[in-house]
Amino acid sequence: MTTEHASTMNETITKTTDTLRRLKARDDARPGFPGEHWLVLGAGLLAWRATSRHRSAIVRGVGTLVATALVGRAASGRDGLAKVLRLLPIGRGIR
């Protein structure tokens, strides 16, 4: 890998990370609404259903990744697993 290629990859990763942070901040700032978890669960199941029989392994893999993330989000809520782990003895130090 050349230095130029590595530099381009680092820039791409940095931009992607910044974009994800901005999206998370925007999501955290907005109020939730009743039934949001059900909609996210439905979106996850739809993503899985839409991609599960695709002939491309890449599409199936990305679909599984997206579906898993959405179903996990629906199950754990907006605070993620941190909210659930706080209730367990191993998660008492999580704020």
Side-chain angles (χ1 to χ4, degrees), residues 24-66:
K24 178 144 176 52
R26 183 177 288 169
D27 186 43
D28 289 343
R30 73 173 178 78
F33 58 91
E36 180 175 358
H37 291 87
W38 289 109
L39 290 174
V40 175
L41 176 64
L45 294 175
L46 184 64
W48 175 75
R49 176 88 167 116
T51 60
S52 65
R53 294 180 188 235
H54 198 279
R55 60 185 164 145
S56 170
I58 293 173
V59 172
R60 288 193 312 268
V62 169
T64 300
L65 179 71
V66 169

Side-chain angles (χ1 to χ4, degrees), residues 7-95:
S7 176
T8 304
M9 280 183 59
N10 286 339
E11 288 176 21
T12 303
I13 291 170
T14 301
K15 286 179 185 178
T16 303
T17 303
D18 290 343
T19 301
L20 290 174
R21 283 189 184 131
R22 284 195 306 270
L23 286 172
K24 178 144 176 52
R26 183 177 288 169
D27 186 43
D28 289 343
R30 73 173 178 78
F33 58 91
E36 180 175 358
H37 291 87
W38 289 109
L39 290 174
V40 175
L41 176 64
L45 294 175
L46 184 64
W48 175 75
R49 176 88 167 116
T51 60
S52 65
R53 294 180 188 235
H54 198 279
R55 60 185 164 145
S56 170
I58 293 173
V59 172
R60 288 193 312 268
V62 169
T64 300
L65 179 71
V66 169
T68 302
L70 289 171
V71 170
R73 164 77 182 239
S76 63
R78 288 182 53 172
D79 292 334
L81 284 177
K83 185 163 87 175
V84 175
L85 289 176
R86 282 186 208 121
L87 303 174
L88 301 174
I90 61 169
R92 296 199 191 269
I94 298 174
R95 295 177 197 258

